[in-house]
Amino acid sequence: MDGERVKARLADIAAHADVSEATVSRVLNGKPGVAESTRQAVLTALDVLGYDRPSRLRRKSAGLVGLIVPELTNPIFPMFAQIIETALARLRFTPVLCTQTPGGVHEDEYVQMLLDRGVAGIIYVSGQHADTTTDPERYEKLRERGLPIVLVNGYHEGIDAPFISNDDVASMELALSHLVALGHKEIGLAIGPDRYVPVIRKITGFRNSMKSLLGRDDVEDLIEKTMFSVEGGDTAATRLIEKGCTAVVCGSDLMALGAIRAARRLGLEVPDDFSVVGYDDSPLIAFTDPPLTTIRQSVQAMSEAAVRALLDEIAGEPAPRAEYIFRPELVVRGSTGAARQRA
């Protein structure tokens, strides 16, 4: 039976790698005469199919790298995590994912655990650095001890590290230009707490674009600050619809789903009566009802840039101390349409 299992495993791997079973056997047994590209194809097939590598074929880690994300409820954070972890693993670093949840392990506790394990560096995605009320000393202390760090989506002046950011101001310009072109004038912004750098920038972009596109300065009543969740989007959209808004730009795709729910509860059709723009272009968001018009963050490019910057730091070739800003993209789907007057 064991022999049959081994033969079945060899056949699976050979079919996936598009090589012969004899070639798979040579790779697994460390025999010479196999091209490096073929060897890598066999090892990749082994990993994809979920088989354990023989101990002598297991990669030696170049070191541990911490990856700190705020939570996994919002699909954009698992998306960042997956791309960053894949890029690190390809370069033989071992990623350690640390997820913050309310009442759970705090960022500082994770960092101490990582330091205790001799971590080579840390990438933060929307961590405490994005909160304007936080003390940057925690990051300054890490840099003083020479630990390489990279901070994603949350610029904090004075921290000695490279920053990778989405262009939140440009995001609002893209969303509002689209809605104004559809004839909307009463446009609301549903956003999270305004102590976070990306939120502050989105609000700035919203004000600027409402002024430049519609000549409006009186927009404070059109900005609803709630929470980055379905419930937050529902609450914000309900208030904005009651104020006469015909469209809303949301701070996340989850908020946008809440806004659609609120519109339907109030008897409105999306997009016939009310248009909704999301933010992030999270996985599966194209398959909602209706498919969501949203602002797509350059997650792939941002993640790869973060890994590249960290590895430069680890190699002793520090990246310039600057904020690298990535331009987002408007993805038009079915949740936005031409404005029409509501009774």
Side-chain angles (χ1 to χ4, degrees):
M1 185 65 178
D2 287 342
E4 289 177 12
R5 281 181 183 159
V6 170
K7 185 160 181 58
R9 185 177 72 167
L10 287 176
D12 285 347
I13 298 166
H16 196 280
D18 197 21
V19 298
S20 68
E21 291 181 35
T23 299
V24 174
S25 181
R26 294 183 74 82
V27 172
L28 297 182
N29 290 304
K31 302 290 186 185
V34 180
E36 181 59 25
S37 59
T38 303
R39 180 177 174 278
Q40 286 302 325
V42 170
L43 293 178
T44 299
L46 204 68
D47 296 338
V48 169
L49 294 171
Y51 293 123
D52 290 333
R53 292 189 182 197
S55 55
R56 56 194 164 65
L57 292 179
R58 289 174 192 161
R59 299 183 187 187
K60 290 184 180 176
S61 174
L64 299 179
V65 170
L67 171 57
I68 297 179
V69 298
E71 39 98 358
L72 297 178
T73 306
N74 186 336
I76 199 66
F77 296 124
M79 193 174 172
F80 267 111
Q82 183 172 10
I83 296 170
I84 290 171
E85 289 184 334
T86 300
L88 287 169
R90 197 185 308 126
L91 297 162
R92 304 203 171 183
F93 283 88
T94 302
V96 180
L97 179 62
C98 304
T99 307
Q100 300 181 78
T101 53
V105 181
H106 189 270
E107 180 182 301
D108 295 339
E109 295 172 293
Y110 273 130
V111 169
Q112 190 54 55
M113 285 189 272
L114 292 169
L115 292 174
D116 292 343
R117 287 160 179 75
V119 71
I122 300 175
I123 296 175
Y124 297 83
V125 179
S126 300
Q128 293 291 312
H129 66 283
D131 188 338
T132 57
T133 66
T134 197
D135 186 352
E137 186 182 9
R138 53 169 56 90
Y139 304 106
E140 292 163 2
K141 284 182 176 176
L142 291 176
R143 293 299 299 125
E144 284 168 9
R145 62 187 294 164
L147 184 75
I149 62 173
V150 175
L151 303 143
V152 179
N153 278 343
Y155 181 69
H156 204 302
E157 190 176 356
I159 298 176
D160 176 29
F163 289 85
I164 308 291
S165 298
N166 179 62
D167 192 335
D168 296 296
V169 172
S171 299
M172 292 298 104
E173 181 185 2
L174 287 169
L176 288 169
S177 294
H178 171 62
L179 291 171
V180 169
L182 291 171
H184 293 277
K185 292 180 180 151
E186 296 298 323
I187 305 167
L189 175 65
I191 201 72
D194 63 358
R195 68 178 189 271
Y196 296 110
V197 172
V199 173
I200 293 168
R201 289 178 170 181
K202 286 182 179 73
I203 290 173
T204 298
F206 180 78
R207 288 178 182 141
N208 292 350
S209 292
M210 288 292 279
K211 173 68 173 173
S212 62
L213 295 169
L214 295 172
R216 294 191 59 171
D217 288 316
D218 57 329
V219 299
E220 294 312 305
D221 206 36
L222 301 177
I223 301 170
E224 288 291 341
K225 301 168 204 152
T226 57
M227 301 299 294
F228 283 114
S229 63
V230 172
E231 294 74 20
D234 187 317
T235 299
T238 300
R239 293 173 186 161
L240 291 167
I241 289 168
E242 289 169 352
K243 293 174 183 177
C245 286
T246 62
V248 63
V249 180
C250 298
S252 74
D253 290 334
L254 290 183
M255 293 188 82
L257 296 182
I260 292 172
R261 185 175 75 181
R264 286 177 173 159
R265 191 182 64 252
L266 295 169
L268 303 179
E269 292 291 328
V270 175
D272 293 344
D273 303 309
F274 189 66
S275 287
V276 178
V277 179
Y279 198 95
D280 287 332
D281 197 27
S282 312
L284 303 181
I285 212 67
F287 305 102
T288 57
D289 179 25
L292 188 66
T293 295
T294 190
I295 300 296
R296 176 185 293 160
Q297 285 198 65
S298 303
V299 177
Q300 183 80 36
M302 291 171 67
S303 299
E304 290 174 354
V307 170
R308 207 159 45 241
L310 187 75
L311 296 190
D312 286 345
E313 298 279 322
I314 291 172
E317 301 168 1
R321 293 302 181 254
E323 182 182 20
Y324 300 90
I325 298 177
F326 289 74
R327 186 169 177 83
E329 175 187 354
L330 173 70
V331 182
V332 178
R333 296 193 182 105
S335 65
T336 50
R340 85 179 184 197
Q341 260 339 93
R342 291 208 313 269

